[in-house]
Amino acid sequence: TFDGEMILDVEPVFGYLHRGSEKLAEERTYTQVITLTDRLDYVSSMSNNLAYVLAVEKLTGINPPERAMYLRVLVAELQRIVSHLVATGFFLNDCGALATPLMYCFRERERILDLFELLCGARITLSYMRVGGIFQDAPEEFWDALNDLLGFMPGMLDEYETLITGNEILLSRTKDVGILSPDLAVNCSVSGPVLRASGVNWDLRKSDPYDVYDRMEFDVPIATGGDNYDRFWVRIQEIHQSIRIVKQCIEQIEPGPTRADVPLILRPPVGAEAYGRVEASKGELGFYLVSDGGISPYRCKVRSPSLINLTVTEHLLVGWKLADMIVTLGSLDINMGEVDR
């Protein structure tokens, strides 16, 4: 609701991309569900895969081999970089920097999608994770291409920051606009970069590490202003940290199997339940599963950060103008596939 260009009230209306993924999961085998997770946040397919297989592994008591856990962490961090590049490019587009920064971000994104194609033959909907490990080991050419990327990426990030972070128009559109206080962020269950931009130090990779994150050394970027600029800044800094994690995975990974010996058809115990969660690119992504002893989940519930992070829209937008709304929504980095599930 507007008075001229001033926002008086906001009511999000969902459901336009609803595909019923949670109910569809209850009609598929545990392995077949993996392909449904790709379509949630479709610029973070690896993270979606990982959260789901972690939940199934808790449900069944299956432990993946060490090499598989390293490769999972490595690709999850590459996926975080991809997601943050998309978020940054479109955010700058929303600010009025039409096309050029977005194409810069897509340039680096393409190189990582090429790596994913080497791993599993797909670029977007990947289905690379498996219960008890991964689909297949990385081929030799993957490592050469990855090292090329790691040598190329820091210079590109420096270029982004030189061109963007001191830009007068960007600063005027984002600084002190759409401020989210830490108390409100916590009370609204916000997570991910949006939460950390408000000064709350919470990252599941540190507070509840999974796979081999407890062996990784990295910093959690924290801002204090909670405005549109800080949410943008945190994502840029997280890309730097993701590169650190990927380099450590390369240094520490050892030869070995990439998948545990898992039955073709999984039948978790009757009444078993599990919640698997990861620090996805947009926040805490979790899968809650309940088993009735059959070959499909009796219940599947997704805790999607894009949906939860939208609970703050009224607090961020009321009192601002239409043009500010576009930028503020862009700073939240939501994905409608994950909102509607």
Side-chain angles (χ1 to χ4, degrees):
T1 304
F2 291 96
D3 178 6
E5 290 204 3
M6 192 66 69
I7 300 170
L8 302 181
D9 193 21
V10 175
E11 181 186 356
V13 179
F14 305 138
Y16 293 98
L17 199 61
H18 182 56
R19 290 163 296 182
S21 298
E22 293 164 328
K23 298 308 292 182
L24 288 171
E26 296 167 12
E27 298 295 328
R28 285 161 168 74
T29 68
Y30 283 93
T31 300
Q32 289 173 336
V33 174
I34 295 172
T35 62
L36 296 177
T37 68
D38 295 344
R39 277 78 176 168
L40 300 176
D41 179 358
Y42 36 78
V43 294
S44 288
S45 296
M46 289 291 192
S47 302
N48 305 342
N49 287 178
L50 183 54
Y52 173 72
V53 299
L54 286 173
V56 178
E57 287 166 1
K58 285 185 178 181
L59 200 67
T60 56
I62 293 171
N63 295 312
E66 189 171 272
R67 183 174 177 85
M69 291 192 290
Y70 272 105
L71 281 166
R72 284 179 176 185
V73 169
L74 187 152
V75 297
E77 292 306 314
L78 289 176
Q79 187 73 84
R80 189 184 314 279
I81 295 171
V82 166
S83 180
H84 285 349
L85 287 173
V86 171
T88 298
F90 280 105
F91 174 67
L92 295 170
N93 209 56
D94 293 338
C95 289
L98 295 178
T100 300
L102 178 61
M103 290 299 101
Y104 281 15
C105 292
F106 265 57
R107 177 185 60 192
E108 275 66 78
R109 173 179 178 264
E110 282 297 305
R111 295 174 70 104
I112 297 178
L113 297 188
D114 289 342
L115 292 174
F116 290 163
E117 192 170 11
L118 287 172
L119 288 175
C120 61
R123 297 167 61 82
I124 305 294
T125 50
L126 303 163
S127 300
Y128 181 60
M129 308 291 181
R130 292 292 184 274
V131 178
I134 54 177
F135 166 58
Q136 65 179 9
D137 205 345
E140 283 300 319
E141 58 265 34
F142 170 82
W143 301 105
D144 293 334
L146 178 57
N147 285 323
D148 288 344
L149 173 73
L150 294 177
F152 174 82
M153 198 70 193
M156 293 301 98
L157 289 175
D158 291 341
E159 184 180 70
Y160 295 159
E161 297 193 59
T162 300
L163 293 173
I164 296 166
T165 54
N167 184 282
E168 183 178 349
I169 297 175
L170 176 74
L171 294 175
S172 66
R173 296 293 305 277
T174 60
K175 280 283 189 180
D176 300 322
V177 179
I179 297 174
L180 177 64
S181 70
D183 288 342
L184 181 60
V186 171
N187 289 336
C188 290
S189 297
V190 166
S191 58
V194 178
L195 177 66
R196 293 188 285 275
S198 294
V200 181
N201 189 355
W202 181 256
D203 188 314
L204 290 174
R205 296 172 296 172
K206 291 282 191 183
S207 58
D208 187 16
Y210 46 94
D211 281 345
V212 292
Y213 275 111
D214 55 344
R215 308 179 194 180
M216 301 291 127
E217 293 184 6
F218 64 98
D219 300 320
V220 178
I222 306 294
T224 55
D227 58 17
N228 289 340
Y229 181 85
D230 283 341
R231 290 187 277 275
F232 154 75
W233 179 86
V234 164
R235 293 188 182 97
I236 293 293
Q237 302 310 311
E238 286 190 0
I239 294 176
H240 287 287
Q241 299 305 316
S242 291
I243 291 172
R244 284 182 64 188
I245 294 172
V246 169
K247 288 180 177 178
Q248 291 174 70
C249 288
I250 295 172
E251 293 168 358
Q252 296 179 23
I253 194 169
E254 298 287 345
T258 56
R259 201 189 308 185
D261 187 11
V262 176
L264 183 62
I265 301 295
L266 295 169
R267 291 180 181 271
V270 177
E273 57 182 329
Y275 179 65
R277 61 181 185 174
V278 301
E279 185 65 40
S281 56
K282 295 169 177 59
E284 179 180 336
L285 171 64
F287 284 80
Y288 173 66
L289 301 174
V290 179
S291 169
D292 61 358
I295 64 174
S296 305
Y298 174 68
R299 285 291 181 267
C300 174
K301 174 65 179 174
V302 183
R303 193 270 186 209
S304 54
S306 289
L307 174 67
I308 303 298
N309 289 355
L310 276 176
T311 58
V312 299
T313 49
E314 181 181 358
H315 304 283
L316 293 182
L317 300 179
V318 171
W320 293 95
K321 291 190 167 86
L322 170 62
D324 298 315
M325 178 183 72
I326 304 302
V327 176
T328 300
L329 286 175
S331 77
L332 293 179
D333 183 27
I334 61 167
N335 183 297
M336 292 310 299
E338 188 174 75
V339 170
D340 291 332
R341 303 186 305 289

